[in-house]
């Protein structure tokens, strides 16, 4: 096996268990024709074993570690056991039908995402070294679950940094990729082939339940609704009226279908709109709602443009707060790890100050437990979910 030697001074990140080894942390790579994607052994400068992982000389992240256990052999069986363990953990913490089965680095399977939608599985292999194991991963899923279908959603730009093409398609016999899932007792259409990301945002599944009590009898406005999951929860939990907005006509069509599926089409409707424009206009017009819910996209993917995200979050939260009746509630999220918890709360405070409103925190939590948070792995701390009473 080819060997990668780290520089004398190992970064605390690697010592503390972070699985990424950057190019500039490596003293030398020993071996013949080190090809992208193969398994290598990582050692300290004085030849102490650090771990085993996959290498990609084309990527800035030269190695991503799979294990720190010397006796582990990385082969088909390894992936089978690792995925089985991921399922056991999800079951242990209470997930049954739908969950993120594998959450990449947080499950020591770097750059592998698997979402389980009951009998259907959607996978993403976002690095070359993981992509190579796709057949083994599909095999493991077949053995563990006997699924009705497996689909690859590798139409993700980040793959190009790894020299991989963007692609999507079946990893099982073809099946109807429009499926229906159950969540919290309600039903949702999921378009596995053409939906955003893997088709559905499972990371908010426990947060959706958290709106149960505050929406009773309420007039609710939801923005950035995608397929209307929060809004349909609101309607089912007893809201008087619900309006959901999304910029994507396709998402709005799906959301309206979901309203019909849950028989709430009379109180819950969806419209295509740019939330920035509409929220601004309506707050100027003095419109008022009992509950306003916001679940915007990341607004930025890099630290360089973080200010853009801050401005975006502040703007929509400011507008959102102004639309809430005194004593009503704002339900607001942020899904990028670049805006950490502290910064997110600061942005909310700035918005409240500008809106001249006082906030009372009801709930502040993270993504669902099937997307584990690992100390020291920044990328795993990404979703913030806040409910405040706006006084
Ligand atoms: N709440 C959803 C997920 C929302 S994802 C759920 O739980 O499933 C973010 C959504 O914001 C996407 O559907 C995207 O189409 C939408 N979006 C992005 N920019 C927007 C804008 N300016 N106005 C309205 N919607 C927008």
């Amino acid at each position: 096996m080819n060997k990668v030697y780290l520089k004398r001074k190992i970064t605390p990140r690697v010592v503390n268990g972070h699985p990424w080894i950057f190019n500039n942390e490596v003293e030398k790579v020993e071996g013949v024709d080190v090809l992208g994607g193969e398994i290598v052994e990582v050692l300290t400068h004085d030849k102490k074993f650090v771990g085993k992982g996959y290498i990609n000389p084309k990527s800035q992240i030269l190695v991503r570690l799979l294990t720190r256990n010397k006796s582990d052999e990385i082969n088909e069986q390894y992936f089978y056991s690792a995925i089985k363990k991921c399922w056991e953990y999800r079951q242990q913490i209470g997930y049954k039908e739908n969950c993120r089965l594998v959450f990449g680095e947080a499950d020591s399977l770097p750059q592998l995402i698997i979402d389980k939608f009951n009998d259907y599985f959607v996978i993403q292999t976002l690095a070359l070294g993981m992509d190579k194991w796709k057949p083994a991963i599909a095999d493991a899923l077949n053995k563990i679950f006997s699924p009705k279908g497996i689909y690859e959603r590798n139409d993700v730009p980040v793959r190009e940094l790894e020299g991989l093409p963007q692609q999507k398609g079946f990893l099982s016999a073809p099946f109807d990729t429009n499926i229906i899932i159950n969540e919290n007792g309600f039903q949702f259409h999921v378009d596995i082939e053409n939906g955003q990301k893997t088709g559905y945002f499972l990371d908010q599944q426990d947060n959706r339940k958290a709106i149960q009590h505050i929406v009773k009898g309420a007039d609710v406005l939801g923005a950035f609704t995608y397929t209307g999951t929060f809004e349909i929860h609101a309607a089912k939990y007893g809201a008087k009226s619900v309006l959901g907005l999304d910029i994507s006509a396709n998402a709005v069509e799906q959301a309206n279908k979901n309203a019909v599926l849950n028989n709430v089409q009379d109180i819950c409707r969806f419209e295509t709109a740019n939330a920035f424009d509409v929220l601004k206009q309506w707050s100027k017009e003095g419109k008022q709602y009992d509950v306003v819910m916001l679940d915007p996209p990341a607004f930025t993917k890099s630290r360089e443009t973080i200010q853009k995200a801050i401005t975006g979050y502040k703007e929509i939260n400011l507008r959102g707060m102004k639309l809430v009746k005194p004593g009503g509630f704002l339900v607001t999220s942020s899904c990028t790890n670049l805006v950490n918890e502290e910064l997110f709360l600061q942005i909310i405070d700035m918005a409240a100050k500008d809106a001249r409103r006082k906030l009372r925190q009801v709930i502040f939590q993270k993504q669902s437990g099937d997307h584990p948070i690992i100390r020291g792995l920044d990328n795993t701390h990404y979703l913030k979910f806040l409910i405040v009473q706006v006084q």
Side-chain angles (χ1 to χ4, degrees):
M1 191 185 298
N2 291 320
K3 293 186 166 59
V4 171
Y5 291 92
L6 299 176
K7 287 188 173 158
R8 176 179 290 267
K9 195 170 178 310
I10 310 183
T11 52
R13 207 189 69 261
V14 176
V15 176
N16 292 337
H18 198 287
W20 296 355
I21 315 278
F22 287 91
N23 267 323
N24 62 3
E25 293 169 330
V26 169
E27 183 65 48
K28 62 170 180 183
V29 178
E30 197 181 84
V32 267
D33 298 335
V34 179
L35 301 166
E38 68 187 44
I39 301 297
V40 294
E41 206 172 288
V42 176
L43 303 133
T44 57
H45 78 284
D46 54 353
K47 302 196 172 143
K48 289 202 188 81
F49 178 82
V50 174
K52 289 180 193 172
Y54 56 77
I55 189 166
N56 185 355
K58 284 209 188 95
S59 167
Q60 267 188 11
I61 305 171
L62 186 68
V63 180
R64 297 179 207 250
L65 295 176
L66 288 151
T67 178
R68 291 187 181 243
N69 185 351
K70 196 165 184 178
S71 61
D72 281 344
E73 292 288 337
I74 311 300
N75 51 25
E76 277 83 5
Q77 179 63 33
Y78 182 85
F79 281 89
Y80 170 81
S81 306
I83 293 171
K84 196 155 169 275
K85 256 199 253 160
C86 290
W87 178 224
E88 282 160 7
Y89 178 68
R90 271 56 180 188
Q91 288 176 295
Q92 196 176 18
I93 60 170
Y95 293 91
K96 293 188 179 83
E97 287 186 21
N98 315 313
C99 63
R100 176 147 293 186
L101 175 66
V102 177
F103 185 40
E105 277 73 353
D107 284 301
S108 298
L109 290 166
Q111 303 300 299
L112 174 64
I113 300 293
I114 306 182
D115 277 352
K116 175 182 188 299
F117 299 116
N118 205 4
D119 292 324
Y120 298 91
F121 293 79
V122 180
I123 90 163
Q124 297 180 318
T125 45
L126 304 177
L128 178 63
M130 189 51 84
D131 198 62
K132 291 205 158 180
W133 293 98
K134 225 161 47 186
I137 295 161
D139 231 38
L141 292 176
N142 282 324
K143 283 199 185 108
I144 304 166
F145 299 99
S146 305
K148 288 194 180 147
I150 309 175
Y151 199 84
E152 163 185 16
R153 280 299 300 270
N154 273 328
D155 47 331
V156 186
V158 76
R159 276 177 47 108
E160 288 173 10
L161 299 177
E162 288 276 322
L164 291 166
Q166 293 195 43
Q167 62 192 49
K168 58 180 177 179
F170 295 101
L171 295 180
S172 63
F175 59 95
D176 182 353
T177 49
N178 286 298
I179 60 165
I180 291 175
I181 61 166
N182 299 302
E183 178 184 277
N184 302 325
F186 315 130
Q187 292 198 303
F188 297 96
H189 290 282
V190 177
D191 179 348
I192 286 177
E193 185 183 354
N194 298 311
Q196 296 181 25
K197 305 276 174 75
T198 60
Y200 190 84
F201 294 96
L202 287 170
D203 52 4
Q204 292 272 32
Q205 65 173 315
D206 296 336
N207 295 334
R208 293 185 189 110
K209 262 193 293 206
I211 65 169
Q212 182 163 4
H213 303 291
I214 59 166
V215 295
K216 288 213 167 63
D219 289 317
V220 178
L221 173 66
F224 310 94
T225 68
Y226 185 42
T227 55
T229 54
F230 272 99
E231 292 67 24
I232 283 155
H233 276 72
K236 296 300 271 187
Y237 287 143
K240 188 159 76 181
S241 77
V242 185
L243 172 60
L245 308 172
D246 200 282
I247 203 161
S248 150
N250 198 21
V252 167
E253 195 188 320
Q254 285 277 96
N256 278 317
K257 263 170 62 184
N258 278 330
V260 173
L261 184 65
N262 290 280
N263 201 22
V264 289
Q265 67 275 24
D266 294 340
I267 46 169
C268 189
R269 64 193 173 85
F270 295 90
E271 286 174 12
T272 310
N274 184 333
F276 281 93
D277 299 342
V278 170
L279 262 55
K280 187 169 176 181
Q281 192 188 329
W282 290 357
S283 66
K284 278 192 181 141
E285 287 169 10
K287 280 200 184 184
Q288 294 276 275
Y289 293 87
D290 299 298
V291 177
V292 171
M293 307 192 289
L294 308 169
D295 186 14
F299 293 139
T300 177
K301 292 215 180 319
S302 78
R303 249 171 243 291
E304 289 74 55
T305 52
I306 185 93
Q307 192 53 45
K308 206 173 105 198
I310 297 174
T311 309
Y313 284 124
K314 183 175 165 204
E315 168 73 11
I316 53 143
N317 281 288
L318 168 64
R319 302 295 168 194
M321 282 174 204
K322 286 190 170 175
L323 286 167
V324 177
K325 282 180 197 163
F329 295 89
L330 177 74
V331 178
T332 185
S333 300
S334 152
C335 62
T336 168
N337 70 295
L338 297 171
V339 172
N340 65 24
E341 281 165 55
E342 202 187 325
L343 179 56
F344 178 65
L345 294 175
Q346 274 169 12
I347 296 169
I348 298 296
D349 288 347
M350 285 191 296
K353 195 166 163 234
D354 286 7
R356 299 208 184 84
R357 305 292 291 270
K358 275 215 158 22
L359 305 180
R360 180 143 74 170
Q361 181 172 316
V362 182
I363 272 180
F364 185 42
Q365 56 196 30
K366 317 290 170 56
Q367 69 258 23
S368 306
D370 54 344
H371 296 59
I373 292 174
I374 308 291
R375 307 270 163 248
L377 281 187
D378 283 355
N379 291 357
T380 66
H381 299 249
Y382 75 102
L383 188 71
K384 283 83 55 196
F385 175 81
L386 176 70
I387 301 182
V388 284
Q389 188 188 39
V390 186
Q391 298 172 311

